[in-house]
Amino acid sequence: MSEDPNTEAYGQEIAAAIEAAASLDDIARIRVAALGRNGVVTQWMRSLGTLPKDERAAAGARFNQLRAGIEEKLAAAAGRFEAAALEARLKTERVDITLPVKAEIGGRLHPISQTIAEVVAIFGEMGFHVAEGPHIEDDFYNFTALNIPPEHPARQEHDTFYLPDIAGRGERKLLRTHTSPVQIRAMLKDKAPIRIIVPGRTFRSDHDATHSPMFHQVEGLLIDETTHMGHLKGCLIDFCRAFFALDHLPVRFRASYFPFTEPSAEVDIGCSRAGGELKIGAGGEWLEILGCGMVNPKVLEYGGIDPARYQGFAFGMGIERIAMLKYGIPDLRTFYESDLRWLRHYGFLPLDIPSMVTGL
Ligand code: DAH
């Protein structure tokens, strides 16, 4: 280096350039010109070795000071531009949180959940409340107290899943084969009068196109001093018409047998099967949808209720069955396949809560 570089003048020149910079790009360009690999200050530092020995230390100190001053001004200017850019972005980029959620993103209620909610809404309006019981039951509640003694043929018909006798007391627990044991639990716990509806899971060792080892039922029980079969009929006719949303749906009570009711009946609704297509409410044919009857006095006794003072009626139906009929779902097995396409087709919007006021 021939002449002594004027670091002071260069420092002022760079300070003015930084002051005049209009963008982060300008700042980057100034940095390269001054401090880059071939920048002015870098070259001066590189040339230190060519200076006479006694001048080197002082010159080195001046160059370092110059470089530090430029670094500091560049950083301050860059910070200002970055803050301004962020401010501008925050002003223009706003998320509109008022946009409606896309239906595809929301979940669907399974038809079983929906159907249970509908049944509960209808009987809730008639003053019934929901009761529940355990899936793992004692033989006593599932059979004996329902007037199904140990040798009764109904025990074979139920295809029961038994659990191992782990306590070694000769008593095997079982998976409840129907929701009826909750009748006994409610009687023993609440005493009369009773007005309950019991939706829940039930289990039978049975598997084909119309049977699943796990399925759902809903049980009903009403006990009071003056309850009679007219109440049973009125209540279930109203239920069928409300559930299928058909004011004039024909409903028929056909004599039947259940150990826990006396007399017992099965309820059929009017339908037509003309042309192979099932149509509910039309035509002169019948379709069975539930079982019912007046509670057998022996069952009241097992439940600790005096049959001389109280009488009641009970009913039970399959949730999958009434859901298939109402919503035209052809195959029982699809209920448990967890196929999202199926759920999107047959499922319900979660906020579409069934009620007798808004409609089912
Ligand atoms: N528990 C019966 C079943 O699983 C259904 C049933 C029929 C329940 C008549 C009742 C009733 O309460 O009265 O097949």
Side-chain angles (χ1 to χ4, degrees):
M1 188 184 296
S2 47
E3 79 246 41
D4 180 18
N6 189 342
T7 52
E8 205 175 313
Y10 185 70
Q12 283 166 7
E13 190 186 314
I14 289 289
I18 292 173
E19 192 75 11
S23 66
L24 275 173
D25 280 353
D26 288 353
I27 296 293
R29 243 173 270 122
I30 296 167
R31 178 187 299 280
V32 171
L35 310 178
R37 225 150 37 94
N38 297 313
V40 174
V41 179
T42 313
Q43 283 185 14
W44 283 344
M45 295 188 80
R46 231 180 262 141
S47 69
L48 273 175
T50 64
L51 291 181
K53 263 198 175 129
D54 56 343
E55 288 175 21
R56 276 182 209 165
R62 270 192 297 129
F63 295 156
N64 273 332
Q65 206 184 350
L66 173 66
R67 189 175 62 180
I70 294 172
E71 294 266 26
E72 197 180 308
K73 290 195 180 73
L74 285 170
R80 279 196 301 277
F81 283 119
E82 276 159 11
L86 182 64
E87 185 86 347
R89 249 181 60 200
L90 288 176
K91 277 200 184 119
T92 54
E93 289 179 14
R94 265 199 295 144
V95 177
D96 184 354
I97 57 165
T98 64
L99 275 177
V101 174
K102 275 192 193 158
E104 283 73 20
I105 295 170
R108 288 283 192 287
L109 275 189
H110 196 282
I112 289 176
S113 306
Q114 174 77 13
T115 303
I116 289 175
E118 290 175 6
V119 173
V120 167
I122 296 168
F123 285 107
E125 190 79 359
M126 299 185 205
F128 287 73
H129 72 262
V130 172
E132 289 182 312
H135 295 163
I136 297 177
E137 256 306 359
D138 290 344
D139 186 281
F140 174 78
Y141 294 107
N142 196 80
F143 292 125
T144 308
L146 288 164
N147 194 32
I148 311 174
E151 301 314 319
H152 199 285
R155 290 204 178 200
Q156 271 76 60
E157 280 160 34
H158 277 218
D159 297 312
T160 312
F161 284 114
Y162 285 96
L163 277 76
D165 175 22
I166 35 174
R169 289 199 212 109
E171 295 165 17
R172 292 164 77 195
K173 298 237 181 215
L174 49 86
L175 295 183
R176 67 179 183 191
T177 57
H178 49 176
T179 42
S180 305
V182 186
Q183 288 192 27
I184 307 298
R185 291 184 172 274
M187 289 182 207
L188 291 171
K189 183 165 153 280
D190 300 342
K191 313 273 179 264
I194 291 177
R195 220 180 255 220
I196 55 163
I197 191 90
V198 186
R201 272 186 199 159
T202 47
F203 308 84
R204 290 185 199 180
S205 174
D206 207 351
H207 203 186
D208 59 35
T210 52
H211 296 90
S212 149
M214 187 281 295
F215 58 107
H216 297 75
Q217 287 190 340
V218 60
E219 190 86 9
L221 176 69
L222 188 148
I223 295 175
D224 214 327
E225 294 191 28
T226 55
T227 309
H228 55 69
M229 194 132 183
H231 297 132
L232 160 67
K233 290 182 76 177
C235 183
L236 292 177
I237 291 170
D238 277 1
F239 165 75
C240 292
R241 292 184 176 162
F243 181 77
F244 290 103
L246 293 169
D247 287 346
H248 304 288
L249 176 67
V251 181
R252 173 174 87 169
F253 290 76
R254 181 168 37 80
S256 183
Y257 169 77
F258 299 103
F260 29 88
T261 44
E262 181 63 38
S264 303
E266 266 160 312
V267 175
D268 300 334
I269 55 173
C271 69
S272 109
R273 293 186 185 84
E277 198 203 332
L278 180 71
K279 213 161 167 262
I280 290 170
E285 292 172 86
W286 296 100
L287 185 69
E288 180 207 316
I289 66 155
L290 62 90
C292 63
M294 299 306 291
V295 180
N296 190 313
K298 287 190 198 146
V299 173
L300 291 175
E301 269 171 19
Y302 274 116
I305 290 176
D306 179 5
R309 181 165 168 206
Y310 289 100
Q311 352 186 54
F313 68 77
F315 56 88
M317 64 189 127
I319 296 285
E320 283 83 348
R321 179 164 171 79
I322 60 171
M324 286 166 83
L325 293 173
K326 179 166 178 177
Y327 295 112
I329 303 171
D331 188 338
L332 174 77
R333 288 166 292 198
T334 58
F335 277 94
Y336 318 108
E337 281 170 356
S338 301
D339 184 333
L340 284 177
R341 292 164 306 174
W342 183 88
L343 198 54
R344 259 177 225 125
H345 183 80
Y346 288 112
F348 295 83
L349 290 175
L351 292 179
D352 219 357
I353 299 162
S355 96
M356 295 300 282
V357 179
T358 56
L360 300 173

